[in-house]
Amino acid sequence: NRRNATNFGTVESDFQAIRKLIENSEQRLVFQTPYLILTSEAVRMFSKMRKNNPDLRIICSSNSLASTDKVSVFAVSYKKRKRQVKKLRFEIHEFKPVPEDIVEMMPRYEKVLADYNEEFPEFSTRYSTPLPLRNKGSRLCIHAKSIVIDSRISIIGSHNFDPRSANWNTECLLLIHDENFSKDLEKEIGRDTSTRNSW
């Protein structure tokens, strides 16, 4: 919890160090998150980044309304899309529920589809029910939380781009300074953002 972490010092300073890495992106910032709801602090950070570096590409991979497992959260996210696209100039790619590369992404998908039975409907809870689709079978949903900075530095963890992760939840992440790994991760996200797999 960032709010409580300031009492200990180290977690807060780690957060600031990671924020500095993101702010210092020079050419391209690529990130993937299931829920794209920026805190006010994040909006200010990205606005400053955009002002200081107009040519910076900020590429985001997230769920579409059809792929999300949290329709209400997507609705909140969607309200902010205009600002994210026009002001912050995010390149937002919304994941298709059944992407063309689904078998490559999930090698056992054909078996899952063959075993699909009306007795076992898609995952739902009283808090979350995916929207119905015309095509039958299981859909895919992005749940990864990853960032790649200038194809050199990667951040992978549990932190969503939303206020809950920033202020309430205890989150963890792995910071990886490895160009080969970062390029591989960026390639994976790039596949998700391709027109075959996202809108």
Side-chain angles (χ1 to χ4, degrees), residues 129-142:
T129 303
L131 293 180
L133 299 176
R134 288 195 184 104
N135 48 323
K136 195 174 177 180
S138 298
R139 73 185 81 196
L140 291 191
C141 172
I142 287 174

Side-chain angles (χ1 to χ4, degrees), residues 24-40:
N24 289 333
S25 302
E26 294 178 356
Q27 297 175 325
R28 185 167 56 250
L29 179 70
V30 179
F31 67 95
Q32 189 165 52
T33 180
Y35 317 116
L36 182 56
I37 306 173
L38 302 177
T39 63
S40 298

Side-chain angles (χ1 to χ4, degrees), residues 121-186:
E122 292 189 68
F123 169 80
S124 68
T125 71
R126 64 191 179 117
Y127 302 110
S128 173
T129 303
L131 293 180
L133 299 176
R134 288 195 184 104
N135 48 323
K136 195 174 177 180
S138 298
R139 73 185 81 196
L140 291 191
C141 172
I142 287 174
H143 206 67
K145 296 94 171 174
S146 308
I147 303 172
V148 182
I149 302 165
D150 291 329
S151 306
R152 297 181 297 106
I153 301 168
S154 297
I155 303 170
I156 298 175
S158 61
H159 190 288
N160 290 308
F161 276 85
D162 69 350
R164 187 181 186 93
S165 288
N167 298 307
W168 290 359
N169 293 350
T170 299
E171 307 289 358
C172 60
L173 57 84
L174 188 63
L175 178 62
I176 305 165
H177 288 265
D178 186 279
E179 192 170 326
N180 290 331
F181 180 89
S182 297
K183 286 180 177 177
D184 285 345
L185 178 57
E186 189 171 3

Side-chain angles (χ1 to χ4, degrees), residues 85-121:
V85 172
K86 290 198 167 185
K87 183 180 177 184
L88 302 178
R89 289 179 32 218
F90 283 7
E91 300 173 31
I92 300 174
H93 303 265
E94 294 188 342
F95 200 56
K96 296 177 181 178
V98 186
E100 288 182 35
D101 292 343
I102 195 165
V103 176
E104 183 183 340
M105 295 172 177
M106 189 172 134
R108 296 187 68 244
Y109 180 74
E110 297 291 348
K111 170 128 176 62
V112 170
L113 197 60
D115 292 345
Y116 182 82
N117 189 308
E118 291 298 334
E119 293 178 3
F120 302 99

